[in-house]
């Protein structure tokens, strides 16, 4: 038994050491990227489709400005060795080791280590910047937000989705929001609403198209968690409705590599959601905010169980009266859908979810960019957060 305990102890220390080396490597590259940040008062620290959408929205808002805040995106990693980044890493190693070898603190080791290292790096930046933190709050963004606050930089909360639910770990200086929920999420839970508010634009709700509900083409939208079970469920829906279904996948979905039933086809990957919506008479939805966006486009949507591992109506679209729902393909009923959508309650429920009307969303992103500084939109550069596997 003593030998077993000894072996477990050696294995535990070995695992802790391997984990620490991985965190140290990512920490070094992250700090080097921060130190290599190009000029720009407004920093987009992330990569992937979400930050691409943020940049596109900001670029559209800056179109009519003679001068707008310069936007910088942190480089993914420095090509050359950075002695300054290594010195910062060595300062953080004691904290990294203490948390990595503690059973209670190990789950937080990466966040704490990166937050401390990023704070050291940001303290060396002579001009504090505005850092845009998307509301999905990955561990990387949590660490960065804390570091920005500790180093005296400004934090901008960006409500990415109408369905965002995570509170910022630190108070935001500026909040860019979609609906009233964003006011609460921009600060830690229980703190007063302090940030300056700017509004992201939204489209007006288009008139609902019900003329081809019973006879037109069918489609489905899936979230990133959908797996092969969703395809089987959609095949059952296709059988119940006696029509093929075109399926729009999440940008990060792996389902494109799976074997697909003959009744299902893949929608074009790069097609704008608005164009996709216009081509279909009814869309079946899993747990995704795309359901509300499709409704704004005027397309009827029905929420269906079994299209992802989340519970039925995880986002409460059905409970709040925004959408009708089917728990089973055998519940498929066009008459029920028509009754639901010919009533007016769902329009009011959707409007409450989306927040102010387009003309009442003031101040705007253009006002934000005009306020933050002068300069021009910087050219794209690789992204810091790709180093962290977001």
């Amino acid at each position: 038994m003593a030998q077993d305990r000894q072996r477990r102890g050696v294995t535990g220390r070995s695992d802790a050491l391997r984990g620490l080396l991985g965190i140290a490597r990512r920490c070094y590259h992250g700090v080097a990227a921060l130190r290599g940040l190009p000029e720009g008062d407004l920093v987009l620290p992330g990569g992937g489709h979400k930050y691409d959408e943020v940049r596109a929205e900001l670029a559209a808002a800056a179109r009519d400005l003679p001068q707008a805040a310069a936007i910088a995106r942190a480089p993914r990693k420095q090509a050359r060795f950075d002695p300054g980044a290594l010195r910062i890493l060595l300062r953080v190693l004691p904290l990294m080791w203490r948390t990595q070898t503690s059973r209670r603190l190990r789950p937080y080791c990466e966040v704490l280590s990166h937050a401390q290292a990023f704070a050291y790096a940001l303290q060396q930046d002579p001009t504090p910047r505005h850092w845009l933190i998307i509301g999905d709050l990955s561990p990387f963004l949590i660490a960065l937000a804390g570091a920005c606050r500790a180093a005296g930089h400004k934090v901008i909360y960006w409500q990415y989705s109408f369905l965002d639910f995570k509170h910022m770990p630190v108070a935001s200086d500026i909040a860019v929001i979609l609906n009233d929920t964003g006011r609460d999420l921009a600060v830690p839970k229980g703190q007063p609403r302090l940030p300056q508010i700017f509004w992201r634009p939204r489209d007006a709700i288009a008139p609902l198209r019900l003329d081809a509900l019973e006879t037109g083409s069918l489609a489905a939208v899936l979230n990133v968690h959908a797996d092969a079970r969703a395809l089987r469920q959609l095949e059952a829906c296709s059988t119940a409705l006696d029509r093929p279904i075109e399926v729009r996948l999440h940008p990060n979905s792996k389902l494109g590599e799976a074997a697909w039933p003959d009744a299902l086809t893949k929608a074009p990957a790069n097609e704008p959601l608005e164009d996709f919506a216009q081509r279909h008479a009814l869309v079946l939805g899993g747990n995704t905010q795309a359901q509300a966006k499709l409704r704004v486009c005027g397309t009827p949507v029905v929420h269906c169980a079994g299209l992802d591992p989340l519970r039925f109506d995880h986002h409460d679209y059905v409970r709040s009266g925004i959408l009708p729902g089917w728990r089973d393909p055998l519940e498929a009923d066009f008459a029920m859908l028509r009754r639901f959508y010919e009533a007016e309650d769902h329009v009011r429920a959707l409007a409450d979810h989306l927040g102010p009307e387009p003309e009442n969303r003031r101040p705007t992103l253009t006002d934000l960019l005009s306020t933050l500084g002068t300069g021009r939109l910087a050219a794209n550069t690789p992204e810091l957060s790709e180093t962290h596997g977001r």
Side-chain angles (χ1 to χ4, degrees):
M1 184 174 289
Q3 289 177 336
D4 288 343
R5 284 198 299 269
Q6 186 177 13
R7 278 196 297 271
R8 286 197 298 271
V10 172
T11 301
R13 287 192 294 273
S14 177
D15 290 344
L17 181 59
R18 281 196 298 271
L20 182 140
L21 291 175
I23 294 171
R25 176 180 56 82
R26 292 188 292 275
C27 206
Y28 166 80
H29 287 304
V31 169
L34 287 185
R35 287 169 50 81
L37 189 68
E39 291 186 3
D41 180 58
L42 176 58
V43 183
L44 305 189
H49 73 280
K50 290 186 178 181
Y51 269 104
D52 288 341
E53 291 174 23
V54 170
R55 181 175 176 83
E57 199 165 314
L58 290 172
R63 227 167 259 151
D64 297 328
L65 286 178
Q67 290 183 313
I71 297 179
R73 295 178 83 168
R76 181 171 177 265
K77 60 176 67 176
Q78 295 296 89
R80 294 179 296 178
F81 172 67
D82 185 341
L86 179 60
R87 286 193 293 271
I88 289 175
L89 176 62
L90 293 175
R91 292 180 66 183
V92 177
L93 276 179
L95 168 67
M96 199 178 294
W97 177 251
R98 286 197 304 272
T99 52
Q100 182 67 5
T101 54
S102 166
R103 184 177 301 176
R104 182 173 62 88
L105 296 177
R106 185 177 299 176
Y108 311 104
C109 177
E110 185 138 17
V111 170
L112 293 173
S113 301
H114 279 90
Q116 187 67 71
F118 291 165
Y120 287 145
L122 292 176
Q123 285 165 0
Q124 296 177 4
D125 194 327
T127 305
R129 309 172 191 248
H130 292 81
W131 293 76
L132 193 149
I133 307 295
I134 286 183
D136 69 346
L137 288 182
S138 63
F140 160 73
L141 290 177
I142 292 172
L144 182 60
C148 290
R149 177 59 62 208
H153 287 239
K154 302 294 185 181
V155 176
I156 297 178
Y157 165 74
W158 180 280
Q159 185 184 2
Y160 177 76
S161 163
F162 291 99
L163 297 172
D164 281 3
F165 62 93
K166 299 177 182 178
H167 283 264
M168 285 286 285
V170 297
S172 306
D173 298 285
I174 292 171
V176 180
I177 65 175
L178 286 165
N179 55 19
D180 288 336
T181 300
R183 297 177 188 270
D184 296 324
L185 299 180
V187 294
K189 195 171 184 178
Q191 285 196 10
R193 300 174 182 175
L194 297 177
Q196 185 178 4
I197 299 294
F198 293 86
W199 289 90
R200 289 182 60 193
R202 76 161 175 87
D203 294 328
I205 301 173
L208 198 62
R209 294 179 283 104
L210 294 176
D211 54 314
L213 180 64
E214 292 85 358
T215 58
S217 63
L218 295 182
V221 287
L222 300 179
N223 67 21
V224 70
H225 305 294
D227 54 28
R229 291 170 293 182
L231 300 183
R232 293 194 293 271
Q233 186 76 338
L234 286 175
E235 184 180 27
C237 291
S238 175
T239 300
L241 298 169
D242 195 25
R243 268 183 275 175
I245 298 175
E246 185 179 60
V247 184
R248 182 182 176 93
L249 299 175
H250 186 276
N252 295 331
S253 174
K254 304 299 183 186
L255 268 177
E257 306 163 6
W260 282 51
D262 292 338
L264 309 180
T265 59
K266 284 176 251 185
N270 298 320
E271 181 181 27
L273 186 66
E274 295 79 6
D275 295 345
F276 172 80
Q278 294 299 318
R279 293 195 293 105
H280 297 292
L282 176 67
V283 178
L284 284 58
N287 287 292
T288 166
Q289 71 157 340
Q291 295 178 112
K293 292 180 177 180
L294 289 162
R295 274 290 295 105
V296 170
C297 294
T299 303
V301 179
V302 57
H303 178 72
C304 298
L307 300 187
D308 50 61
L310 301 174
R311 64 173 174 82
F312 176 79
D313 194 29
H314 176 74
H315 299 310
D316 290 335
Y317 281 144
V318 177
R319 186 186 64 81
S320 61
I322 295 173
L323 297 179
W326 293 339
R327 293 181 177 273
D328 190 280
L330 296 177
E331 294 182 13
D333 181 357
F334 286 109
M336 180 272 278
L337 295 183
R338 187 168 284 279
R339 286 194 302 272
F340 178 90
Y341 279 121
E342 285 180 346
E344 293 297 318
D345 291 346
H346 66 93
V347 178
R348 289 189 290 271
L350 180 60
D352 289 343
H353 174 65
L354 297 178
E357 295 291 335
E359 63 273 14
N360 295 327
R361 301 173 83 82
R362 301 282 189 274
T364 66
L365 286 180
T366 302
D367 297 322
L368 170 65
L369 292 172
S370 180
T371 300
L372 285 183
T374 60
R376 58 181 179 81
L377 292 178
N380 277 339
T381 58
E383 294 84 6
L384 163 66
S385 65
E386 290 179 2
T387 305
H388 302 271
R390 287 188 64 239

